[in-house]
Amino acid sequence: METKIQTLTLPIEGMTCASCVARVEKVLTRIDGVEKTTVNLATEKATIKFDPSKASAEQMAKVVEEAGYKLVVENITLTDNSKPSDGYDKLKKEFILSVIFAIPVIILSMVSMTEWFMEISPLSMDAVNKLLFLGATVVMVVSGKRFFTIAWKLAKHFEADMNTLVAVGTGVAYLFSSIVVLFPEWLPASVDAMDVYFDTAVSIITLILLGKVLEARAKKRASDAMRNLMSIQPKTARVFRNNEYTDVAINDVAKNDMILVRPGEKIPVDGIIEKGETSIDESMMTGESIPVA
């Protein structure tokens, strides 16, 4: 008995660019039983045609996670109408948290290098550095976690992307500065308490997150517009069969079927008007909401 090929559409989290799309498509296509994979960056969804006797959604989720992304398989359905995953809110929270801690770190780091501040400040340079360390740690561990997680998963496959650059750059700056603050005896005498770069690390994390937030917001708006446009399409059509009109699904409409469109309804499929007069909503084609007679 021939196995029926099924199509599964699932949300994917963590994609940021075209290379991410190519990587996800590559790892999914390698799975035995997967015939075709199409990943859409704008909607953050993957449409997968596969043989269910050879491949499963859980298997797909595993290989995608190993590649550094997340394939959401909870409550899956074999349909192309699943809602895309939206990590915009989470990304926005991480950015706000990063800003809250990064701004004090940057300001304190800059003013601590001035003589007048150290003269009036009750804090020693060592105390200032420890405050910088605490603030930077929050940014690196909470807001910067996503970069290090993806970079590590990519490194296991001997691959790299922008997340690798961010993780290496900020990680080295943070690690060196932490050693200066916590274990100064490990370093040469030429390195003093002024040689910390916590402000550099948190600045990079915050600015990159800002770019990701703006990008995610733009994609969210585009996805919402696409979903709203798709929702305009009718789900059923009133077809004349067996001497009566019957409501059938759009996919069940056949060539040469006679369809009845009542006043105020949308035309469900392409066709030729045989008889009658009405006002037609052409917003699906033109974007204009004014009916055309």
Side-chain angles (χ1 to χ4, degrees):
M1 182 178 178
E2 185 179 354
T3 303
K4 182 180 179 181
I5 299 299
Q6 295 182 343
T7 300
L8 191 63
T9 300
L10 294 173
I12 296 182
E13 297 179 356
M15 297 189 302
T16 58
C17 58
S19 63
C20 297
V21 172
R23 187 174 294 111
V24 173
E25 289 182 345
K26 182 179 179 180
V27 297
L28 286 173
T29 306
R30 286 178 177 175
I31 300 176
D32 183 30
V34 174
E35 290 195 351
K36 182 180 180 181
T37 302
T38 303
V39 178
N40 190 313
L41 179 61
T43 59
E44 295 183 311
K45 293 193 297 184
T47 301
I48 309 160
K49 291 185 178 180
F50 68 103
D51 182 347
S53 65
K54 297 181 180 180
S56 65
E58 290 73 18
Q59 184 181 3
M60 300 173 194
K62 182 179 179 180
V63 297
V64 171
E65 184 176 0
E66 290 176 351
Y69 309 94
K70 182 179 180 181
L71 186 68
V72 183
V73 297
E74 291 85 357
N75 301 321
I76 60 175
T77 55
L78 296 176
T79 175
D80 59 355
N81 294 324
S82 58
K83 294 183 179 180
S85 174
D86 184 11
Y88 172 70
D89 292 336
K90 180 181 178 182
L91 186 61
K92 186 177 179 180
K93 291 178 181 178
E94 291 178 357
F95 169 68
I96 293 175
L97 179 67
S98 181
V99 170
I100 292 174
F101 283 90
I103 290 179
V105 168
I106 295 172
I107 294 176
L108 183 58
S109 179
M110 294 179 65
V111 299
S112 64
M113 293 186 291
T114 61
E115 294 183 1
W116 64 266
F117 176 80
M118 297 310 299
E119 290 177 356
I120 64 175
S121 174
L123 300 175
S124 64
M125 195 64 202
D126 183 61
V128 170
N129 283 342
K130 288 181 178 178
L131 288 176
L132 295 176
F133 167 75
L134 293 176
T137 299
V138 174
V139 175
M140 297 294 290
V141 172
V142 180
S143 301
K145 178 182 177 181
R146 63 171 57 237
F147 302 107
F148 293 93
T149 301
I150 297 177
W152 171 247
K153 291 179 179 179
L154 291 175
K156 291 191 294 184
H157 296 276
F158 301 99
E159 296 181 354
D161 65 359
M162 184 192 72
N163 296 285
T164 305
L165 296 176
V166 175
V168 171
T170 59
V172 170
Y174 173 79
L175 181 60
F176 176 79
S177 301
S178 299
I179 294 176
V180 172
V181 175
L182 303 177
F183 307 101
E185 65 276 7
W186 292 2
L187 301 172
S190 58
V191 179
D192 58 29
M194 300 290 289
D195 296 330
V196 293
Y197 304 97
F198 293 119
D199 57 328
T200 301
V202 299
S203 297
I204 294 175
I205 293 292
T206 304
L207 291 175
I208 296 296
L209 284 177
L210 173 60
K212 286 184 173 292
V213 167
L214 295 177
E215 180 185 19
R217 185 176 65 175
K219 288 197 300 182
K220 183 176 183 296
R221 290 178 176 177
S223 298
D224 291 342
M226 292 176 62
R227 287 196 298 272
N228 291 336
L229 184 61
M230 292 175 64
S231 66
I232 297 176
Q233 182 181 10
K235 301 296 186 294
T236 60
R238 191 170 291 105
V239 180
F240 187 74
R241 293 177 181 173
N242 300 324
N243 296 323
E244 63 177 359
Y245 284 100
T246 306
D247 289 338
V248 300
I250 293 295
N251 294 334
D252 295 332
V253 177
K255 186 177 181 180
N256 297 324
D257 274 343
M258 184 70 70
I259 298 175
L260 174 64
V261 181
R262 293 174 177 172
E265 294 182 341
K266 298 181 178 67
I267 297 178
V269 294
D270 293 340
I272 300 174
I273 299 177
E274 293 289 340
K275 60 181 179 179
E277 295 181 359
T278 187
S279 295
I280 300 174
D281 183 354
E282 294 185 350
S283 58
M284 277 286 289
M285 296 182 293
T286 66
E288 299 291 339
S289 58
I290 301 177
V292 178

